[in-house]
Amino acid sequence: MNRIILIVILIICNKETNSQWIQQPLGTTGAIYDVQFLDSNYGWSCGSGGFLRKTTNGGLNWLIVNHPVGGKLFGDLHIVDSNTIYVVGQFETIIKTTNAGENWTVIRNSPQGLVGSYYACYFLNSQTGWVSGANIPPIKMFKTTNGGLTFDSVTIPQATEISDIYFKNENEGLASGYIRDLYKTTNGGLSWFNCEINLPTNWPSFLKMSFINGFTGWIPAGDGRVFKTTNFGSSWDSISKIEGVGNSFMQCIKFVDEETGWIGGEDGKLYKSTDGGLNWLQENIGLGNFVKLDFINDHIGWICGPSGKMYHTTTGGQTVSFIENNISSLNEFELLQNYPNPFNPITKIRFSINKLSDIKLIVYDINGREIVTLVNGKEYTGQYEVTFDGNELPSGVYFYSLIINGLKTETKKMILIK
């Protein structure tokens, strides 16, 4: 079925491959619950024990930000602009800065005790925003139109905990959380109704949402199901279920366009889709639990969680392995995109290595099943070209992975059209 031709050119490949997730130097072992970036350089992060950091160089350095509320847990933050940031957290905590953290206004700061905690906030601008969370019986959504000087509140019926809020304008917004919590408002938060979702039974938890415009968005269920909306949350359709999730709870999501997105969760589980969420491939990122993703484009992004770790990629997270403390040794190979692509029925795959290694080149179908092993054995330094013949395969999306010394280094997608 598959004809294999190897053409070896004995030259050393010195191209550095940065396809990896790098651990960020945060200087903490505490939980990290949010990371947000305004652009590729300017970002903020918050977490337990009063953890609050900012960076102005893309995470190479994270600066400790002093604030007036002690060691409370911070659950969420929102960057309005480079100067104005809101931070919310445990025991009805809301603080605000208008000069990039030099000074803070304490909007709310209740003592520890039987009061609610805020785990979600969203601000359209410096004046108008919404805050909610948990342990506030009944669960309420708080709204301000004057930068936090005053808040109006409304009860969300049957809600158990709100973990994410998103508004596309002053009237239309969404809120998500635990155990059936998925709500929409069309009047600025004065009232909320359940979103329509095709789940007669077995409702999961919905923690984080991701929207690329005023209509199209995605949300993961804790059990690995993925839902999509094209009418700003009025209705949601189940489009896929991530294989291999098991009992690991999926908690965070980020899409940057119609095709490219990531979902993360417990037990180091991180997945990427390049076809709008229909199919997912697991990233090899290392240990950790992940609760928040943020990407500013299809290459540059961050992920963090209660494991006390944050990781950063500048290549879209097409993972070769986890490298800690910015030490990279993966400058040993290059896997190129097949050509032509799409193809019918023959395409060529090129790769190069710079030292003697055990090499496998494997083709998979869209469900992750192995179709054929194109290369399997020791190969010397050089460039290689392999011909793949899909004549006996149906049209569709396929993937090919380069495995070096037992380590899956990189995976690419190819499309067979007949």
Side-chain angles (χ1 to χ4, degrees):
M1 177 177 68
N2 300 284
R3 296 175 297 166
I4 303 172
I5 302 172
L6 292 181
I7 303 173
V8 182
I9 307 172
L10 294 178
I11 62 174
I12 295 177
C13 174
N14 290 318
K15 180 177 176 63
E16 181 177 2
T17 302
N18 293 317
S19 299
Q20 57 197 5
W21 289 87
I22 304 298
Q23 186 172 338
Q24 297 279 270
L26 293 175
T28 182
T29 58
I32 306 166
Y33 290 114
D34 196 15
V35 57
Q36 290 185 30
F37 272 75
L38 190 63
D39 54 39
S40 60
N41 290 313
Y42 187 73
W44 285 70
S45 181
C46 66
S48 63
F51 174 86
L52 191 59
R53 301 284 193 276
K54 73 173 181 179
T55 180
T56 57
N57 58 10
L60 292 177
N61 304 103
W62 288 87
L63 307 175
I64 296 174
V65 179
N66 296 316
H67 57 79
V69 294
K72 287 188 174 183
L73 180 152
F74 291 131
D76 197 17
L77 62 85
H78 190 93
I79 304 174
V80 177
D81 54 46
S82 59
N83 289 311
T84 305
I85 295 94
Y86 287 85
V87 185
V88 303
Q90 194 176 31
F91 305 125
E92 294 185 342
T93 299
I94 308 174
I95 60 176
K96 168 188 174 181
T97 181
T98 57
N99 56 9
E102 293 296 321
N103 305 101
W104 292 89
T105 299
V106 178
I107 298 173
R108 291 189 178 183
N109 183 24
S110 297
Q112 182 171 345
L114 299 177
V115 295
S117 295
Y118 303 139
Y119 298 134
C121 65
Y122 189 86
F123 282 79
L124 282 175
N125 50 52
S126 62
Q127 300 299 306
T128 301
W130 295 261
V131 175
S132 191
N135 303 319
I136 318 169
I139 301 298
K140 294 183 178 180
M141 180 71 68
F142 299 90
K143 178 182 180 180
T144 181
T145 57
N146 54 21
L149 292 177
T150 60
F151 281 87
D152 297 320
S153 66
V154 61
T155 298
I156 303 182
Q158 300 178 332
T160 56
E161 179 175 327
I162 299 302
S163 59
D164 200 13
I165 303 168
Y166 179 74
F167 274 74
K168 73 174 184 178
N169 54 45
E170 292 188 359
N171 293 315
E172 295 180 82
L174 297 163
S176 63
Y178 284 91
I179 311 174
R180 299 178 64 98
D181 288 340
L182 190 53
Y183 306 97
K184 182 174 181 177
T185 181
T186 57
N187 57 13
L190 295 177
S191 60
W192 296 80
F193 57 88
N194 290 97
C195 296
E196 178 185 337
I197 189 165
N198 186 22
L199 284 176
T201 60
N202 193 22
W203 271 66
S205 295
F206 302 107
L207 269 64
K208 300 294 183 181
M209 303 170 280
S210 180
F211 280 81
I212 59 170
N213 54 43
F215 301 96
T216 304
W218 295 259
I219 192 167
D223 60 7
R225 285 177 287 178
V226 182
F227 297 83
K228 181 179 180 180
T229 180
T230 56
N231 55 16
F232 194 66
S234 293
S235 61
W236 296 81
D237 294 317
S238 176
I239 61 171
S240 62
K241 188 177 191 303
I242 302 173
E243 298 296 330
V245 166
N247 294 323
S248 302
F249 195 81
M250 296 295 99
Q251 302 182 87
C252 53
I253 186 169
K254 182 66 177 183
F255 269 78
V256 295
D257 55 38
E258 289 277 1
E259 303 296 330
T260 307
W262 298 259
I263 286 177
E266 295 177 333
D267 305 315
K269 297 294 179 63
L270 176 63
Y271 301 88
K272 181 178 180 180
S273 176
T274 56
D275 60 3
L278 298 178
N279 298 281
W280 298 86
L281 289 178
Q282 187 171 357
E283 301 275 283
N284 178 24
I285 193 171
L287 299 177
N289 294 326
F290 306 123
V291 297
K292 184 62 188 295
L293 275 159
D294 194 34
F295 273 77
I296 64 168
N297 56 40
D298 61 357
H299 286 81
I300 300 174
W302 295 260
I303 189 170
C304 67
S307 57
K309 295 179 180 179
M310 182 189 297
Y311 302 104
H312 174 45
T313 181
T314 58
T315 61
Q318 293 289 356
T319 310
V320 290
S321 73
F322 165 64
I323 307 298
E324 189 168 357
N325 296 328
N326 295 328
I327 300 174
S328 175
S329 62
L330 294 175
N331 57 351
E332 302 169 357
F333 73 93
E334 181 180 14
L335 179 64
L336 298 178
Q337 186 65 51
N338 66 298
Y339 70 99
N341 188 41
F343 65 98
N344 178 25
I346 293 175
T347 189
K348 296 181 183 296
I349 301 171
R350 288 183 177 178
F351 67 92
S352 60
I353 55 175
N354 70 358
K355 65 180 181 181
L356 177 66
S357 303
D358 288 319
I359 300 296
K360 288 185 178 181
L361 183 64
I362 302 177
V363 176
Y364 304 87
D365 67 12
I366 201 166
N367 295 313
R369 294 186 294 262
E370 291 189 15
I371 298 299
V372 65
T373 298
L374 298 177
V375 180
N376 187 8
K378 286 189 177 293
E379 304 294 346
Y380 290 91
T381 298
Q383 291 184 337
Y384 295 81
E385 182 179 278
V386 181
T387 297
F388 174 65
D389 187 345
N391 185 59
E392 297 182 22
L393 296 173
S395 298
V397 176
Y398 295 86
F399 301 89
Y400 58 96
S401 296
L402 181 64
I403 300 171
I404 301 178
N405 297 325
L407 175 66
K408 182 181 286 188
T409 59
E410 192 164 5
T411 298
K412 292 185 180 295
K413 178 174 72 173
M414 57 184 175
I415 301 173
L416 173 60
I417 298 177
K418 293 184 175 180

